[in-house]
Amino acid sequence: MLFCTLVPAGANATGQEDSFWDTSLEELGQIRVVSIASGTETPLDKAAAITSVISAEDIAAMGATDLDQVLETVPGLHVNRSDQGFSSKYVFRGMTSSFNPQALVLINGIPATTMMFGNRTTAWGGMPIKAIERIEVIRGPGSALYGADAYAGVINIITKSSKDVQGAIVGARTGSFDTHGGWVESGTNLDSGVGISFILEYQETNGWRETIERDAQTNFDESFGTAVSLAPGPVNTSVDQLDARLDMGTDNWQFRAGLQDRRNMGTGPGVAQALDPNGRFSSRRFNTDYSYRWQDVTDGLDVEARVSYFNITQEPENDIALYPPGAFGGAFPEGFIGNPGYKERQVRFDLSSIYSSFNDHRVLSGVGAFWADLYDVSESKNFNPDFSPKGGVEDVSSDPSQVWMPEEHRVNYYIFVQDEWQFAQNWQLVSGVRYDHFSDFGNTVNPRTALIWATTDTITTKLLYGRAFRAPSLNELYAANNPVALGNPDLDAESIDTFEIALSHQVTSDILYGINLFYYVIDDLIIATPIPGRTSKEYQNSGKRRGRGAEFETTYQALENLKIIANYAYQYSKKSNGGELVGEAPNHQIYGRTEWRVVPGWFLNTQVNWVGEQKRVAEDSRGPLSDYTTVDLTLRTEGLWRGLDLSLSVRNAFNDDVRDPSPYADPIPIPGDFPMPGRNIIGELQYHF
């Protein structure tokens, strides 16, 4: 994918000397900028997309300790939990599904996506935030630059380099749910001009243990006349996290490596939505990339090449009980056990350029290739393809008639071009197109265009259009011997066309607001559709969806020591063929935060998050999931005493009953929905050498 190259200091973005886009990096450093929207550093209000930027300072003000807590503050983006092991779902503008492949997560511009499920793995296990310098978010399509799965939205996590880490920091954390952890940050610049930074963070937690009253096994107990369900019982949300980041480089080259290791990871409500208090998964994600930049190859031409490697594993640590001991009328005295695992490796090569010597134009272009290999697929289980007992757990990894997934691979080639044309003093037109070829499902072409008008000195107006696509995952294409859904090798990619209009207004130096309206149409939606036979469903391209909505956000510097940040989001989406609501996502959200410097060095921050009721899918007879409000308080210091700082956060301070929607099935496995954490407290101490 395209690497976000910085515009050289003093460079003219469009070739016009008095352009308001002609902004040096020194000036850009004084305002909020974004690179994810068009591939180069751009003032946020002039970006060619609906974007948000969250800095490390913002993250500290929130008292956040995990990426999910940060992303929930973005308008139009709601974070909830999947039935797949309670893995995080990043729901943009109401677009949701079990595996959540509609949201593309990048780490330093490189996708953190598995081809297996099209998401961050079902054992994502969260992402701690100490290594994050800033987060850039596109709400809307991004495939014209970022290719597959930049569909409903794009999240680019930019990690710290030696420019962001000076000296050394050590810290420790403790809190509710038997949570304990610590971190180390270190950065230096060598005499040779090479900057090096290293960040290590570890945390372990038993997780929240809120109660599920009845589960999928409860339904089977009523059918078989048994009583083996473990419900009522707590969800299984333990996880041990180890994250490490190394960054080194100069002005021309950069090398990065990262490790995200997850152990002792609980199965949430159970893999089959039947409680499994003992099941544990592990997942390891290792990535490395090297990039080299040639500046001024010829007049106005910068070129960058990058190669990257990404390896993902997801494996059970012990027997995973899909249903508890005694399931199915006692046919499975040890439980109905299935232990799937897989490994995946990816290699990417990207070559991109920026040419700015055309009059009033800047042209971005790039080519690239991507190779993914699903290998070492494994499974052990104690049931046959017809669900009869085997008599014991048996390794079926080498038996294609029984293993859950064949080993497959994918190759992708792409080319893109984008032109940024300032055709008048206050007007810019950004237009681009990207072509992708995939070895397993064919070709896609995704255009975009953005008309940006500096309406006045304080108002910017945008008209945007973009097409994006979601590649069918390997699971959707090839899954076999799966008791839930079969793959379909004839699938096409999903596509979405999005139209947006936006306005931002700097009312005074202290007040800024922005509002945008959007409308989208989804075609070739991939859905697990009922079919006759032993397996009840198969993935198929089925129907269309339409959605519309609005997002509003504002920042107000009320006093020198008091800042107020707020946003509101509305979305409404339905199926085109029947007009039925999509459901399982809030139609309304409101967020607000105050940042108050009580006295020099002491900050008290309060945030309130209201999530409106979440309607059900048309087939689900349950009433809407009730709205909820969480209030978080954070007291923190800056420069308290000789490099020592403290932070204390209370999340969900009033202990509201927060629930995420459980999916519909007949009968409903968990009718009471998924319970989220109640009131919890976290304290941090850090020392800066």
Side-chain angles (χ1 to χ4, degrees), residues 434-471:
R434 172 167 164 150
Y435 168 82
D436 283 84
H437 171 75
F438 287 82
S439 59
D440 47 7
F441 66 86
N443 309 319
T444 69
V445 177
N446 295 274
R448 72 178 301 200
T449 185
L451 182 62
I452 305 167
W453 175 30
T455 316
T456 70
D457 290 343
T458 60
I459 297 175
T460 300
T461 307
K462 308 177 192 179
L463 291 172
L464 310 171
Y465 162 75
R467 165 167 281 213
F469 74 101
R470 180 178 84 75

Side-chain angles (χ1 to χ4, degrees), residues 170-181:
V170 295
R173 175 187 302 131
T174 188
S176 302
F177 316 133
D178 288 326
T179 300
H180 308 285

Side-chain angles (χ1 to χ4, degrees), residues 38 48 418-421 428-432 448-452:
S38 59
Q418 175 178 282
D419 176 56
E420 300 174 19
W421 175 29
Q428 186 182 52
L429 179 66
V430 178
S431 54
R448 72 178 301 200
T449 185
L451 182 62
I452 305 167

Side-chain angles (χ1 to χ4, degrees), residues 372-385:
D373 179 36
L374 184 66
Y375 71 103
D376 203 6
V377 174
S378 62
E379 183 177 17
S380 60
K381 57 187 179 182
N382 66 349
F383 58 92
N384 294 304

Side-chain angles (χ1 to χ4, degrees), residues 58 61-62 73 563-566 591-595 606-608:
D58 295 327
M62 299 170 194
T73 70
K563 182 163 71 172
I564 300 171
I565 299 158
Y591 171 80
R593 182 171 83 245
T594 62
E595 300 178 4
T606 304
Q607 62 180 9
V608 179

Side-chain angles (χ1 to χ4, degrees), residues 6 39 107 138 158 163 211 246 279 281 317 369 383 402 417 429 432 438 474 505 508 520 582 591 600 607 669 683:
L6 300 182
I107 298 180
I138 289 177
I158 300 169
K163 297 177 183 178
T211 299
L246 171 67
F281 279 97
E317 293 184 355
F383 58 92
Q402 296 203 57
V417 63
L429 179 66
F438 287 82
L474 298 184
H505 185 192
T508 68
Y520 63 78
V582 173
Y591 171 80
Q607 62 180 9

Side-chain angles (χ1 to χ4, degrees), residues 87-98:
S87 57
S88 303
K89 296 202 299 182
Y90 304 138
V91 181
F92 284 93
R93 297 174 171 177
M95 285 175 263
T96 182
S97 66
S98 183

Side-chain angles (χ1 to χ4, degrees), residues 597-604 635-640 645-646:
R597 188 177 73 248
V598 183
V599 294
W602 287 83
F603 297 83
L604 178 62
L635 179 66
R636 63 188 181 91
T637 67
E638 287 185 1
L640 175 62
D645 280 305
L646 308 173

